[in-house]
Amino acid sequence: MKIKYSTRIVIIFSKVVIKIPVCKKGFLQGYNEQKIWNKYKGIINLAELKWMYCGVVCQKRYNTITAIPETVVHSIKGIIPEFNFDNCDFHNAENWGIHNDQYVLLDYGNNPYIASLY
């Protein structure tokens, strides 16, 4: 088990990750991840959302990567208009994983309002 911390405490187990909000921004990210998952789950490679309850998120765990190609970032921003904003942090490889040679977006709870809360 591994633990990371930012706006959410992320507990990483062997098969799933649990994201627990520690502030308003983390809480809103959880709700936004559920909204984005429900809308785009069959269209783009998003980390599988197992459940969300009161802002706490459980997702499938994926292998990590060290770099994300710019073309992948531009592609997802083109497909999902909610992600097409300047302060979007999709260039950070920690927000991505890989599964069957496909990049998977792990952290997709951001939007312009949530990003402005930094």
Side-chain angles (χ1 to χ4, degrees):
M1 178 176 66
K2 184 177 175 182
I3 297 176
K4 292 184 175 185
Y5 167 78
S6 62
T7 59
R8 301 183 278 185
I9 294 172
V10 181
I11 304 170
I12 303 168
F13 295 100
S14 62
K15 302 280 185 191
V16 298
V17 298
I18 306 290
K19 300 175 182 181
I20 304 167
V22 295
C23 63
K24 178 181 178 181
K25 182 176 180 175
F27 177 81
L28 293 173
Q29 285 176 307
Y31 275 90
N32 200 48
E33 280 180 338
Q34 182 178 46
K35 177 182 156 192
I36 295 295
W37 171 255
N38 289 339
K39 189 171 181 181
Y40 296 105
K41 62 184 165 190
I43 298 170
I44 194 77
N45 290 331
L46 300 171
E48 179 185 340
L49 182 70
K50 302 284 189 183
W51 51 262
M52 191 282 296
Y53 181 74
C54 295
V56 177
V57 170
C58 177
Q59 292 176 322
K60 179 179 175 182
R61 182 178 179 186
Y62 295 88
N63 292 325
T64 59
I65 60 170
T66 56
I68 185 71
E70 187 72 26
T71 55
V72 174
V73 173
H74 285 297
S75 174
I76 199 164
K77 285 182 159 197
I79 294 169
I80 301 179
E82 289 92 336
F83 294 156
N84 198 12
F85 62 97
D86 290 336
N87 200 16
C88 193
D89 60 354
F90 291 163
H91 298 281
N92 182 351
E94 288 185 0
N95 293 333
W96 295 85
I98 196 155
H99 180 70
N100 294 335
D101 295 325
Q102 297 287 316
Y103 291 103
V104 178
L105 184 58
L106 307 177
D107 190 359
Y108 49 90
N110 221 350
N111 67 26
Y113 172 71
I114 296 170
S116 75
L117 297 176
Y118 275 110

